[in-house]
Amino acid sequence: MTESIEVMVIDDEKIVGERLLEFLGKNDINTEIFTESPVALKRLEEKTFDVVITDLKMKGPSGLDVLLYIKQQEIPSQVIMITGYGTSEDFREAEATGVMEYITKPFQMSNMLKLVKKAAKRARKMRKR
């Protein structure tokens, strides 16, 4: 039996998190959703997630701030950044900071599932080092 995938979703649009929670849950992926990034950052101190899916633009710490926190704290999670308002500058900054994927809304759930599985596999390889 394989270990279940643990995913954190951070998006101030509650509907995005709820849809991901439902879809990923149907695919046996454990998912926790957060609409406030400070609360999500606190949760990252308590639990290791394979994948963090975060919106770029949010009140409080942005998705880039979340990504930077994960890298600075050496948390072995892979980050998928989602945005409805991304610029090429945002993309370059996220890429330079170490984002695994940067995708725009709306996105296909089937594509997100593939990305989550790929990211989880990468996260687990990093933890074994």
Side-chain angles (χ1 to χ4, degrees):
M1 187 166 174
T2 60
E3 185 181 353
S4 63
I5 296 173
E6 299 290 332
V7 174
M8 170 186 275
V9 177
I10 314 166
D11 197 311
D12 54 3
E13 291 181 64
K14 189 175 182 182
I15 190 72
V16 174
E18 289 173 346
R19 287 184 178 157
L20 282 166
L21 176 69
E22 180 182 356
F23 182 80
L24 295 174
K26 287 180 182 176
N27 288 279
D28 298 320
I29 295 173
N30 295 328
T31 307
E32 291 184 31
I33 60 172
F34 298 85
T35 56
E36 298 177 7
S37 52
V39 177
L41 290 173
K42 181 98 173 121
R43 182 68 172 134
L44 283 170
E45 294 174 6
E46 304 165 352
K47 180 177 178 178
T48 300
F49 293 86
D50 297 305
V51 183
V52 175
I53 301 170
T54 182
D55 192 13
L56 173 64
K57 306 277 186 192
M58 298 180 285
K59 293 179 184 173
S62 70
L64 286 171
D65 294 328
V66 171
L67 173 62
L68 188 58
Y69 176 83
I70 287 169
K71 296 303 179 183
Q72 287 175 338
Q73 298 301 313
E74 298 181 355
I75 297 170
S77 301
Q78 292 295 303
V79 177
I80 298 172
M81 183 100 39
I82 57 177
T83 186
Y85 313 102
T87 65
S88 57
E89 184 178 312
D90 292 331
F91 172 75
R92 282 191 298 276
E93 187 174 352
E95 193 173 45
T97 307
V99 73
M100 187 188 135
E101 289 288 338
Y102 185 96
I103 60 176
T104 57
K105 296 177 188 176
F107 50 84
Q108 295 289 323
M109 288 293 184
S110 58
N111 289 341
M112 182 60 79
L113 179 62
K114 289 176 192 171
L115 287 175
V116 165
K117 287 181 177 181
K118 179 180 173 184
K121 190 174 182 179
R122 186 178 292 179
R124 290 175 181 182
K125 277 185 181 179
M126 286 177 59
R127 282 199 298 268
K128 288 181 181 179
R129 289 184 192 174

